[in-house]
Amino acid sequence: MRQFQAYDQLFAPDENFRVYRKELERLAPPAVPYLGMYLRDLTLLHIGNPVLVAGLANVHKWRLLLKQLSRMAALQQQQYNLLMVPEVQAFIESARVLDNESLFALSKEVQANGSTVSTMTKRTSRSKLGLLRRMSAQGLSLD
């Protein structure tokens, strides 16, 4: 549970992902960046800066976008040295993949039943927590 709470704090969107950004600066590549944060940054840079300034290309905007994309790419320049964890592999392989129509139908059902995102998240979190506990009991870690 402590590990789950630590990850929850790490990826909290508070103060523009301040904790996560600080941790990324500390890490040596390779790393898998949280795409949601970068997509938000790119969207804000794109929407918040005009394409043209005084009839000319806004070079400042494109430099900001390039800087952000370069940060993402820098985290992925080195090869990953991953170890296979059978429990994690089995969990991923057993994941149910739904097509768009099924996802839409499920979404409508959830809304009709009055379920909230937090209820769905709690259920998902419990299953992830169970996996983390089983891994911990076997001396395995996601670190």
Side-chain angles (χ1 to χ4, degrees):
M1 186 64 159
R2 278 182 286 138
Q3 190 172 17
F4 180 78
Q5 290 171 337
Y7 287 136
D8 192 43
Q9 289 174 342
L10 176 65
F11 292 104
D14 304 342
E15 298 179 44
N16 198 21
F17 294 94
R18 181 184 54 82
V19 174
Y20 178 67
R21 288 179 195 273
K22 198 177 237 183
E23 186 67 18
L24 273 180
E25 289 174 14
R26 190 184 69 77
L27 289 176
V32 179
Y34 173 51
L35 191 58
M37 179 186 75
Y38 283 103
L39 289 176
R40 187 174 82 172
D41 290 349
L42 291 169
T43 300
L44 292 173
L45 286 171
H46 177 66
I47 292 173
N49 295 284
V51 175
L52 299 174
V53 174
L56 300 172
N58 184 355
V59 176
H60 179 69
K61 172 183 181 165
W62 300 112
R63 283 187 179 152
L64 290 171
L65 289 168
L66 178 62
K67 184 177 179 181
Q68 196 68 357
L69 291 169
S70 296
R71 284 182 188 147
M72 287 177 65
L75 294 171
Q76 301 173 50
Q77 292 302 312
Q78 295 181 9
Q79 188 172 12
Y80 295 91
N81 296 318
L82 301 175
L83 299 174
M84 186 173 75
V85 179
E87 293 83 3
V88 173
Q89 187 172 358
F91 177 77
I92 292 170
E93 289 172 354
S94 69
R96 203 169 113 200
V97 179
L98 300 175
D99 59 37
N100 285 340
E101 290 174 12
S102 299
L103 288 170
F104 183 69
L106 182 60
S107 174
K108 287 175 71 173
E109 181 182 329
V110 167
Q111 287 177 345
N113 291 336
S115 294
T116 63
V117 172
S118 62
T119 304
M120 300 282 290
T121 303
K122 285 177 187 172
R123 274 186 262 151
T124 304
S125 298
R126 274 189 238 121
S127 69
K128 290 178 185 175
L129 183 58
L131 174 63
L132 288 173
R133 283 187 179 141
R134 287 191 304 279
M135 289 174 64
S136 178
Q138 295 175 4
L140 302 171
S141 173
L142 294 177
D143 297 334

